Amino acid sequence: MPKTFQSINPYTLDVIQEFTEETPEQVEAKLARATETQREWADRSFAERGELFHQLGTYLRENRQRLAERITAEMGKILSESLGEVDKCAGQCDYYADNAERLLEPERIPTDAQESRVVYEPVGVVLAIMPWNFPFWQVFRYSVPALMAGNVTLLKHAPNVFGCAQAIEEAYRAAGFPAGVFQALINDVDAVERLLADDRVGMVTLTGSERAGSTVASLAGRNIKKSVLELGGSDALIVLSDADLDKAAEAAVQSRMSNAGQVCIAAKRFLVEKPVKAAFTEKVKALIDAMKQGDPTQDDTKIGPLARVDLAEQLERQLQTALDEGATLLSGGERHDANFQPTLLDNVSPESVVFREETFGPLATITEVADEAEAVRLANQSRYGLSAAIWTQDLAKADRLSRRLEVGSVFVNAIVRSDSRLPIGGVKKSGYGRELSEAGIKDFCHTKTVYIGHS
């Protein structure tokens, strides 16, 4: 019997749709179609590919309400955030349609040759394994630059958002893309091993957990395949004593609580200098206490449910362990099914489970530090290194500290976010490789040297 997958509304727990796993023969047909299509797709000009992406951006804007409602229904984020996610995907389409050719311009290198240059060419078929927390953006984040570079892709999305995967494939088709350029797979993880062993697959990209990344990296290495991994994060938000506390508190809460806390680059550990710790904590608590959790389709709801009940149960276990370890509960802490009240913990020690592990939900923690040196030391103590934020009015100090933080991105007096123009990715257990910007699009290419001698 073929395996079936259910898409479940995390707020109502109603089954939205069931999906039947594709057979190996169906997967093979999609891979064969992708391989055949890629040659023709790569031969198209940047202008031709870009025109289709402009059409895709238009399609997303014209259908934003329907697509956003699908995101909210499948994974529970509030509707305003789902609408913003669709809009961001449309902007991604336009940016790479207009800039991919410039970003991949051959680099001419002076040597003793008549001409020598470095060119960037597509890897072919990109296998992508994407998560449920941003079911549209994570897909568009990799696929738009990868496809503008001349690749095609097979998407293995998270099973609880297979409806989003199909909606994205429909969007590509409606915008006029050839059928083999973007294809969604309805499969579990066992299909990944078979695909990575196939020489027709050029590389793999994964956004997900450290465990999933380790497994995929091992499979890719065994088959000598390029891989790009964006994994977990436990980002530090450092608040120094000269920071604008109102802005810092607002940014901290917005970063931690957006998407019900299910954001890899969210600020999860607030490291606050002792002189301002009490005032900062008071401001953060007031903001969290004012947040309404509940039905994600209602305008006054600020936080929806977590994407699945088991995720809420895991967060509840981490919370209880932290309390047993001596943390102080200042706000929230209650769970009903997948609904988790926005929660604030004070007096969190660097040995606490919620300091050491990634917490994927609306759980903020505050840890007091004596000075900037301790803040950097504790920020770097994490096994993860995705991003960090620094709040201070001394920009020279912020620049100096940013160089000491072992992360892929540092944002000063701002919320960490992804931007089509800037690379995103981590170090340490947060993965390797980059997405977005020039660095990101080139990670989905082969680098080739062309040397022309004198005749």
Side-chain angles (χ1 to χ4, degrees):
M1 289 289 292
K3 185 184 297 185
T4 59
F5 307 95
Q6 289 186 329
S7 172
I8 299 174
N9 184 310
Y11 182 69
T12 65
L13 300 186
D14 293 334
V15 176
I16 301 170
Q17 189 175 352
E18 289 194 346
F19 304 87
T20 301
E21 184 172 37
E22 293 170 337
T23 65
E25 292 75 20
Q26 289 173 309
V27 175
E28 164 58 29
K30 288 188 174 183
L31 177 56
R33 185 183 304 127
T35 304
E36 181 179 355
T37 303
Q38 194 272 326
R39 300 185 185 95
E40 184 274 329
W41 177 249
D43 285 341
R44 295 194 185 196
S45 68
F46 281 102
E48 289 175 299
R49 295 197 292 262
E51 177 57 32
L52 288 175
F53 272 107
H54 279 307
Q55 292 172 198
L56 180 55
T58 298
Y59 175 92
L60 294 174
R61 293 184 179 98
E62 291 176 347
N63 293 273
R64 65 191 295 266
Q65 185 70 29
R66 175 177 61 83
L67 298 174
E69 288 173 356
R70 184 72 196 207
I71 295 171
T72 293
E74 284 205 312
M75 63 75 54
K77 73 177 61 184
I78 59 175
L79 189 56
S80 61
E81 291 178 339
S82 296
L83 289 165
E85 183 171 342
V86 176
D87 292 341
K88 189 170 185 175
C89 294
Q92 173 86 335
C93 291
D94 290 338
Y95 178 79
Y96 283 96
D98 294 337
N99 291 282
E101 184 173 14
R102 173 182 60 82
L103 296 173
L104 294 176
E105 189 74 24
E107 299 177 33
R108 303 196 180 278
I109 311 295
T111 68
D112 56 358
Q114 178 175 309
E115 181 183 347
S116 48
R117 61 183 181 270
V118 178
V119 298
Y120 301 94
E121 298 182 345
V123 299
V125 178
V126 176
L127 172 63
I129 304 161
M130 292 291 115
W132 45 262
N133 58 331
F134 289 91
F136 267 59
W137 170 243
Q138 299 284 10
V139 174
F140 279 81
R141 193 177 78 180
Y142 92 85
S143 67
V144 178
L147 271 52
M148 274 301 299
N151 300 295
V152 300
T153 189
L154 296 173
L155 167 67
K156 203 304 258 189
H157 218 329
N160 59 322
V161 291
F162 275 158
C164 288
Q166 290 185 338
I168 294 170
E169 182 173 347
E170 290 167 5
Y172 269 96
R173 297 282 185 89
F177 285 78
V181 171
F182 183 102
Q183 298 177 88
L185 303 172
I186 304 301
N187 279 95
D188 212 341
V189 293
D190 53 352
V192 171
E193 184 168 3
R194 297 195 303 270
L195 286 166
L196 279 177
D198 196 302
D199 288 341
R200 291 170 292 177
V201 172
M203 68 171 289
V204 61
T205 181
L206 175 141
T207 297
S209 68
E210 177 186 343
R211 184 176 66 176
S214 176
T215 300
V216 168
S218 176
L219 291 171
R222 183 189 310 165
N223 292 285
I224 321 297
K225 298 287 174 69
K226 189 174 186 178
S227 56
V228 171
L229 306 178
E230 199 237 282
L231 309 179
S234 186
D235 288 7
L237 181 140
I238 296 172
V239 182
L240 300 181
S241 55
D242 66 341
D244 184 322
L245 295 186
D246 288 326
K247 290 182 178 179
E250 184 177 353
V253 172
Q254 183 179 341
S255 177
R256 173 68 281 201
M257 299 299 169
S258 66
N259 202 30
Q262 301 165 119
V263 183
C264 295
I265 56 175
K268 294 165 185 166
R269 299 177 294 144
F270 303 165
L271 306 179
V272 189
E273 276 198 301
K274 184 175 182 179
V276 296
K277 192 254 186 178
F280 177 80
T281 301
E282 182 180 357
K283 294 177 185 296
V284 167
K285 183 179 184 303
L287 291 168
I288 289 178
D289 286 343
M291 302 186 83
K292 179 183 177 183
Q293 193 281 328
D295 186 344
T297 65
Q298 299 301 306
D299 291 340
D300 60 344
T301 300
K302 300 304 179 186
I303 292 185
L306 273 68
R308 301 193 309 263
V309 172
D310 64 299
L311 299 170
E313 291 173 341
Q314 167 65 12
L315 187 65
E316 187 177 45
R317 286 192 292 270
Q318 291 174 307
L319 170 61
Q320 187 56 55
T321 300
L323 294 174
D324 294 341
E325 293 169 336
T328 303
L329 180 65
L330 297 184
S331 297
E334 297 180 6
R335 179 187 72 84
H336 177 68
D337 292 330
N339 294 280
F340 204 106
Q341 292 296 316
T343 300
L344 177 63
L345 288 180
D346 194 7
N347 301 318
V348 173
S349 78
E351 290 72 39
S352 173
V353 64
V354 293
F355 196 95
R356 293 181 290 104
E357 296 180 0
E358 179 177 29
T359 52
F360 219 59
L363 171 63
T365 70
I366 296 179
T367 301
E368 181 181 295
V369 296
D371 52 30
E372 64 191 57
E374 184 179 21
V376 170
R377 179 176 63 81
L378 291 182
N380 289 341
Q381 185 173 298
S382 174
R383 63 192 288 110
Y384 300 107
L386 199 50
S387 51
I390 302 172
W391 284 83
T392 176
Q393 298 186 58
D394 187 339
L395 298 186
K397 179 189 291 185
D399 184 61
R400 185 177 72 253
L401 296 180
S402 70
R403 297 170 186 270
R404 293 167 54 194
L405 290 167
E406 299 166 356
V407 293
S409 302
V410 178
F411 280 54
V412 177
N413 297 332
I415 296 172
V416 177
R417 64 186 181 90
S418 56
D419 185 312
S420 299
R421 299 163 293 186
L422 297 171
I424 186 170
V427 299
K428 301 195 288 189
K429 299 300 184 183
S430 290
Y432 52 76
R434 292 295 179 266
E435 289 184 283
L436 304 178
S437 80
E438 180 178 345
I441 194 171
K442 286 179 177 176
D443 260 354
F444 288 86
C445 295
H446 291 310
T447 302
K448 178 184 286 184
T449 296
V450 178
Y451 182 101
I452 302 174
H454 297 276
S455 57

